[in-house]
Amino acid sequence: LVCRYCFQFPVVLSAEGEAVSPGSVAVRWCRAEKGDDMQRAVVASSPSAVAMFKLPEVRVRGQQVALRTVVPPQGVLGELLAVELVVENKTASSVEYQVEAQPSETFLLAGFRSTRARVLPCGALRVAFNLVPIAVGLLHPPKILLKWKQDGQEMQQAACTAKVFIQPPDLSTQDG
């Protein structure tokens, strides 16, 4: 018999980054009647045992970085499409970020694929990528990765990008 449960513990913080003890969990063990695993009835006359488990302390940190992508809803095959990534530094210190566009089978990247920049505390960074669509339809732009170091560890987060509808060029307006 495998039991899986998920518990939520409300915690009140007095300062960000402090160690908080969520308390302990009491597990009551007792005999159950035979039957379906999900609908076993507890036998009232059976003895029971209670086990107490102290939960480990946790450190709660606020959001260190906020990402937002600005993607146009539509574009035209072969014409430039501007995608912008906005990185907000939510920390009280200056952080160096690396922004990198991943390769894509449906878009060509016009310009730099990767850039590094230092963002001041509570500041924002805007990075623009120029894409050229090489396919038509409802497409995902290339994935954009953000990398930085936090507390000596390498961190990485992918920016969520919406799909873009790429339509063929209007041939009736072209000379030829």
Side-chain angles (χ1 to χ4, degrees):
L1 175 66
V2 176
C3 295
R4 296 177 192 197
Y5 294 97
C6 178
F7 298 98
Q8 265 187 322
F9 297 95
V11 176
V12 178
L13 295 177
S14 58
E16 185 177 315
E18 76 172 306
V20 177
S21 174
S24 45
V25 174
V27 178
R28 182 173 164 248
W29 303 89
C30 61
R31 187 176 302 263
E33 292 179 352
K34 285 189 174 183
D36 184 18
D37 285 343
M38 297 303 288
Q39 297 182 1
R40 289 187 180 187
V42 175
V43 178
S45 62
S46 69
S48 65
V50 176
M52 293 290 289
F53 298 97
K54 185 171 174 20
L55 297 172
E57 288 187 342
V58 292
R59 290 194 183 279
V60 180
R61 277 191 259 182
Q63 186 180 14
Q64 303 291 314
V65 63
L67 292 178
R68 187 170 35 96
T69 52
V70 180
V71 181
Q74 65 184 26
V76 178
L77 180 72
E79 293 184 10
L80 208 59
L81 187 73
V83 173
E84 188 175 66
L85 177 72
V86 180
V87 181
E88 294 179 34
N89 180 5
K90 302 273 187 173
T91 65
S93 60
S94 177
V95 179
E96 185 173 324
Y97 294 103
Q98 178 180 349
V99 181
E100 183 176 307
Q102 299 295 302
S104 171
E105 293 181 5
T106 54
F107 289 91
L108 294 176
L109 187 64
F112 293 108
R113 189 176 77 94
S114 176
T115 186
R116 286 182 182 264
R118 184 167 290 278
V119 182
L120 295 174
C122 301
L125 167 69
R126 295 173 105 68
V127 180
F129 290 99
N130 293 316
L131 306 175
V132 179
I134 56 174
V136 295
L138 193 59
L139 308 173
H140 276 290
K143 193 181 288 186
I144 300 174
L145 290 178
L146 178 71
K147 298 177 183 179
W148 74 98
K149 286 192 177 178
Q150 176 181 317
D151 299 331
Q153 290 184 329
E154 185 102 359
M155 306 297 284
Q156 179 174 307
Q157 185 174 342
C160 179
T161 56
K163 289 184 178 180
V164 180
F165 182 74
I166 303 299
Q167 55 193 6
D170 188 7
L171 299 176
S172 63
T173 60
Q174 295 180 352
D175 293 332

